[in-house]
């Protein structure tokens, strides 16, 4: 049973590994214990931005399909199957599959799982929330996005947590202006989240993305200044993906080496977009259309 007597998530049975058609190009880390080092910067030409956007659109459409399937009784493995099929049907590779040995095509994080939940036979229940994270790789570039979905009717505090986490992400994105340091993003997110008493997860962050799944650039979601002082410039691409909780920001990790849960088992929500910075604003590269 994927929930214990207290209603908290426990590991379930994993589905067989999913196959990707041979003609679809793999990222260079597939089959390796760790990805190759990334030597580039975090800015891209317009041609490259369009390739990131194309990959991001595929990931976003996969989340559209997943969201339509979320309901009580559906398993997280089934949501992963849907995401996998959507990505590969458009000629792209699901970036998580084979990344540092990860065995699924998405991350499915239920209730107290902050991030990196591994899809299994867990059946979603009325009132749960589930975050699904999908990244697509196409023509040498990644587009990374996630959303938190309500399972049926949820409690008011859960509904507000989801709504406010999305708002926190958008406030952080709007703060990303040329000339500022990336830590301004976290300052804005944490200031907003603290209005409601939410925990703001610190150790799992946004990141540079594009030619590499993770470039090494860190985007904090809390007020980390003076740390993480990279200066934002036009053409820079990264993710903003705050994780807010109804309790503490401290976390535990399951023995699977992936699943991260709130230490106090409080509920948590997350949203993510891949963003390109412009001279006078930003563009979201992970929209369905």
């Amino acid at each position: 049973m994927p929930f214990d007597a207290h209603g908290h998530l426990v590991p379930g049975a994993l589905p067989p590994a999913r196959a990707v058609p041979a003609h679809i190009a793999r990222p260079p880390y597939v089959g390796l214990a760790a990805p190759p080092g990334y030597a580039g910067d975090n800015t891209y030409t317009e041609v490259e931005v369009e390739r990131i956007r194309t990959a991001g659109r595929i990931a976003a459409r996969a989340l559209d399909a997943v969201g339509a399937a979320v309901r009580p009784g559906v398993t997280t493995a089934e949501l992963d199957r849907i995401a996998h099929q959507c990505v590969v049907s458009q000629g792209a590779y699901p970036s998580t599959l084979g990344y540092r040995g990860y065995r699924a095509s998405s991350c499915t994080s239920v209730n107290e799982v902050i991030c990196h939940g591994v899809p299994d036979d867990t059946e979603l229940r009325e009132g749960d929330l589930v975050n699904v994270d999908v990244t697509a790789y196409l023509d040498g570039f990644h587009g990374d996005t996630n959303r938190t979905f309500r399972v049926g009717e949820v409690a008011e505090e859960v509904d507000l947590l989801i709504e406010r986490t999305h708002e926190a992400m958008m406030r952080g994105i709007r703060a990303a202006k040329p000339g500022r340091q990336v830590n301004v993003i976290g300052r804005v997110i944490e200031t907003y989240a603290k209005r409601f008493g939410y925990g703001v997860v610190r150790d799992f962050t946004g990141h540079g993305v594009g030619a590499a799944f993770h470039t090494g650039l860190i985007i904090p979601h809390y007020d980390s200044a003076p740390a993480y002082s990279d200066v934002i410039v036009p053409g820079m691409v990264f993710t903003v993906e705050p994780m807010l909780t109804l309790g503490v920001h401290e976390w535990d990790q399951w023995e699977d080496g992936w699943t991260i849960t709130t230490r106090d088992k409080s509920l948590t929500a997350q949203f993510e977009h891949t963003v390109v910075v412009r001279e006078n604003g930003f563009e979201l590269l992970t929209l369905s259309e």
Side-chain angles (χ1 to χ4, degrees):
M1 182 68 183
F3 294 94
D4 66 16
H6 302 287
H8 299 310
L9 205 69
V10 295
L14 300 176
R18 305 201 186 280
V20 176
H23 71 275
I24 293 177
R26 273 71 171 154
Y29 52 75
V30 173
L32 303 178
Y38 178 69
D41 65 12
N42 293 284
T43 61
Y44 294 90
T45 67
E46 286 305 311
V47 170
E48 292 168 332
V49 167
E50 285 308 307
R51 290 183 180 178
I52 298 169
R53 191 195 310 275
T54 299
R57 185 177 295 119
I58 291 171
R61 289 174 177 170
L63 285 184
D64 288 347
V66 166
V70 170
R71 65 184 185 280
V74 73
T75 67
T76 55
E78 173 62 9
L79 299 182
D80 182 66
R81 185 198 65 79
I82 292 169
H84 176 90
Q85 183 58 35
C86 285
V87 171
V88 301
S89 70
Q90 296 177 80
Y93 186 92
S95 301
T96 58
L97 186 61
Y99 180 77
R100 297 185 181 272
Y102 191 79
R103 55 168 290 141
S105 297
S106 63
C107 297
T108 53
S109 301
V110 179
N111 293 348
E112 70 268 21
V113 178
I114 295 171
C115 58
H116 304 160
V118 181
D120 59 19
D121 66 346
T122 298
E123 292 186 4
L124 299 179
R125 307 164 303 180
E126 182 82 15
D128 286 341
L129 68 165
V130 57
N131 177 274
V132 182
D133 194 327
V134 177
T135 307
Y137 175 79
L138 183 70
D139 293 334
F141 292 87
H142 301 266
D144 187 3
T145 185
N146 74 54
R147 301 176 203 162
T148 297
F149 300 101
R150 300 161 177 83
V151 184
E153 294 294 323
V154 301
E156 182 180 15
E157 69 172 358
V158 177
D159 191 62
L160 288 172
L161 174 67
I162 293 171
E163 178 182 315
R164 290 165 175 168
T165 303
H166 183 270
E167 175 64 16
M169 174 191 65
M170 292 307 302
R171 288 183 179 223
I173 290 170
R174 289 193 292 268
K177 298 184 183 298
R180 294 178 171 179
Q181 297 177 352
V182 297
N183 55 34
V184 71
I185 297 169
R187 185 178 312 123
V188 167
I189 288 171
E190 185 171 47
T191 298
Y192 176 73
K194 281 190 169 181
R195 287 168 48 184
F196 312 105
Y198 295 151
V200 182
V201 175
R202 297 183 168 208
D203 295 330
F204 300 91
T205 68
H207 53 90
V209 67
F213 194 176
H214 299 86
T215 67
L217 173 67
I218 299 297
I219 306 297
H221 302 125
Y222 67 100
D223 189 356
S224 66
Y228 306 119
S229 58
D230 299 80
V231 175
I232 300 168
V233 297
M236 184 180 280
V237 176
F238 49 78
T239 72
V240 177
E241 47 183 302
M243 292 148 260
L244 305 185
T245 83
L246 290 178
V248 303
H249 70 263
E250 289 85 6
W251 53 274
D252 294 313
Q253 186 176 53
W254 284 4
E255 291 183 2
D256 64 12
W258 287 105
T259 305
I260 303 296
T261 67
T262 51
R263 183 156 296 168
D264 61 359
K265 305 302 182 189
S266 61
L267 297 180
T268 177
Q270 182 187 16
F271 284 88
E272 174 187 23
H273 271 304
T274 297
V275 178
V276 60
V277 177
R278 298 302 194 186
E279 290 281 359
N280 298 305
F282 65 90
E283 287 183 57
L284 303 179
L285 300 180
T286 39
L287 297 175
S288 303
E289 300 297 337

